[in-house]
């Protein structure tokens, strides 16, 4: 048998470039439905998942195992966790995913915040569909995308990023640990037992957390930390 | 009403009042003759330094300032920044040399209205002045694309700075600042009233957190993250 058998790989037609996978996270059902129709209609893109809240969005993203993914995050997400929390979390957990913020006439501040917490760009829902799809392709190609806002906003957005940074509140991972356990309603002693530290250490951590978040109570601290993307989680030393 | 206005766009139209700020005589001449070629424009003054430009802006209240970036002493960006800080209503058209192209983003942040290269011809200059007077912006698509990229890079840097800032203790930051002033380890120890050995430990931790291996790298990295400020304020 002199003839070499062809491997199964060679039998297949040349693989077309893999389609761009899009995950839609937007609070408005109609927006998701419209975008899904628009995107699924293209030969080079497909919808991988849809979600209406930040938590559901993150759940969906965790299940995705593939390359070339763009997450479209509606900046209007609100609730226990908002859009900025979601963007920041995706950026930390899945650094290779492209994230495109999306809104209807979002102001420069909202765009600054989205970029600061980790979005690779922003596209407005008011642009025409061709431009919208092009924004998805461009962000996938690694471009910084700003489609919709007038070009002179670049300066204002940059200045907003500086302000975001000043306003950014950064908790160490130990502080976050304490806060997460505190959110269960445990006393300082119980928290200390759980984490294997002294009660005094826990109260010191809590005081520092209150100071960083500018709050006076535990409930306010938990709410402030959970609500927004303005709480960074820093790896523990 | 001035004669220029009458030549301009009819009796009811004021000319666009232009202040030229350019230290190079030949280039100043180019801008002036461009303005003189357009009856809708009137040159209200010429300045060759930043300080003179700021004074003349106050006295002449121009509609448009044509501003050279490479002025001696106080540079064009600083002039533009001060005009914006002072709330000047004047539109600003930057004229930049070929090597100053990377300042577009900075100029956009300051709030200038347009950015031309020094090779710009008469019609480009008058056209740009007309556009910005109407409230438009004069940047090329390439300049805008580059500015967007710089914006993205800036956002990443700001995020990284926040992350690193969370790791660095107050004492470490103090030490970082002192070594950026050029103090030796021993001098830092004396200044802070701690042992050189302790300073050494702090510095080792700092290097690790910044992901660097030397003092120079540490300072460069801290400066690029905005943790310390190396730039001297401009006069």
């Amino acid at each position: 048998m002199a003839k070499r058998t062809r491997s199964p790989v060679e039998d297949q037609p040349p693989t077309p470039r893999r389609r761009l996978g899009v995950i839609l996270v937007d609070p408005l059902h109609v927006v998701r439905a419209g975008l899904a129709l628009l995107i699924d209609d293209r030969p080079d893109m497909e919808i991988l998942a849809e979600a209406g809240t930040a938590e559901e969005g993150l759940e969906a993203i965790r299940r995705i195992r593939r390359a070339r993914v763009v997450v479209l995050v509606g900046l209007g997400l609100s609730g226990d966790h908002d859009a900025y929390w979601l963007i920041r979390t995706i950026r930390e957990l899945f650094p290779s995913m492209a994230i495109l913020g999306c809104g209807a006439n979002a102001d420069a501040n909202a765009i600054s915040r989205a970029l600061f917490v980790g979005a690779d760009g922003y596209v407005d829902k008011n642009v025409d569909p061709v431009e919208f799809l092009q924004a998805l392709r461009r962000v996938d190609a690694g471009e910084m995308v700003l489609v919709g806002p007038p070009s002179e906003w670049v300066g204002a957005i940059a200045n907003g990023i500086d302000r975001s940074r000043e306003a950014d509140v950064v908790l160490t991972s130990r502080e976050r640990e304490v806060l997460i356990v505190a959110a269960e309603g445990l006393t300082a002693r119980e928290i200390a037992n759980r984490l294997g530290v002294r009660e005094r250490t826990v109260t010191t951590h809590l005081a520092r957390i209150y100071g960083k978040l500018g709050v006076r109570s535990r409930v306010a601290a938990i709410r402030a930390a959970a609500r927004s993307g303005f709480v960074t989680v820093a790896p523990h030393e | 009403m001035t004669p220029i206005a009458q030549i301009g766009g009819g009796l009811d139209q004021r000319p666009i009042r232009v202040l030229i700020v350019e230290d190079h005589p030949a280039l100043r001449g180019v801008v002036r003759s461009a303005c003189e070629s357009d009856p809708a424009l009137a040159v209200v003054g010429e300045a060759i330094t930043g300080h003179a430009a700021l004074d003349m802006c106050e006295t002449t209240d121009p509609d448009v300032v044509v501003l050279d970036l490479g002025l001696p002493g106080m540079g064009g960006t600083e002039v533009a920044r001060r005009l914006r800080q002072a709330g000047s209503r004047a539109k600003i058209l930057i004229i930049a040399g070929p090597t100053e192209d990377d300042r577009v983003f900075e100029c956009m942040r300051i709030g200038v209205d347009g950015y031309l290269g020094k090779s710009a011809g008469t019609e480009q200059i008058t056209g740009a002045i007309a556009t910005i007077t109407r409230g438009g912006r004069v940047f090329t698509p390439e300049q805008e694309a580059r500015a967007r990229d710089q914006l993205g890079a800036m956002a990443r840097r700001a995020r990284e700075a926040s992350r690193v800032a969370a790791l660095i203790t107050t004492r470490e930051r103090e030490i970082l600042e002192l070594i950026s002033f050029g103090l030796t380890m021993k001098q830092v120890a004396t200044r802070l009233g701690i042992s050189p050995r302790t300073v050494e430990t702090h510095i080792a931790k700092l290097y690790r957190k910044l992901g660097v291996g030397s003092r120079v790298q540490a300072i460069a990295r801290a400066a690029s993250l905005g943790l310390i400020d190396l730039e001297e304020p401009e006069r």
Side-chain angles (χ1 to χ4, degrees), chain B residues 3-84:
Chain B
I4 293 170
Q6 286 163 10
I7 303 162
L11 287 168
D12 52 341
Q13 215 164 348
R14 265 178 88 239
I16 299 165
R17 298 156 44 80
V18 181
L19 174 68
I20 301 170
V21 187
E22 169 69 72
D23 63 308
H24 198 283
L27 289 167
R28 198 163 63 241
V30 169
V31 178
R32 187 196 311 124
S33 63
C35 291
E36 284 168 351
S37 76
D38 187 336
L41 307 179
V43 177
V44 294
E46 292 180 11
I48 57 171
T49 69
H51 287 288
L54 291 172
D55 287 345
M56 290 183 81
C57 264
E58 278 205 16
T59 52
T60 62
D61 188 28
D63 299 310
V64 174
V65 180
V66 178
L67 182 59
D68 173 31
L69 268 194
L71 295 171
M74 189 198 298
T77 49
E78 184 59 23
V79 174
R81 191 174 286 123
R82 291 192 190 190
L83 283 176
R84 285 291 170 261

Side-chain angles (χ1 to χ4, degrees), chain A residues 91 112 114-121 142-146 154 157-158 161-162 165, chain B residues 102 105 109 144-162 221 223-226:
Chain A
R91 188 43 76 232
S112 299
L115 296 181
F116 173 69
V117 294
D120 298 297
E143 235 183 278
M144 159 79 201
V145 171
L146 209 54
V154 165
I157 292 169
I161 289 172
D162 272 347
R165 196 190 142 188
Chain B
D102 57 334
F105 181 57
R109 292 195 61 177
E144 283 177 357
R146 205 163 43 239
R148 275 198 305 276
D149 285 341
Q150 283 174 290
L151 183 66
M154 181 202 167
R156 281 191 295 279
R157 217 163 40 237
R159 189 159 62 244
E160 175 66 7
S162 258
R221 176 118 174 92
S224 84
L225 291 174

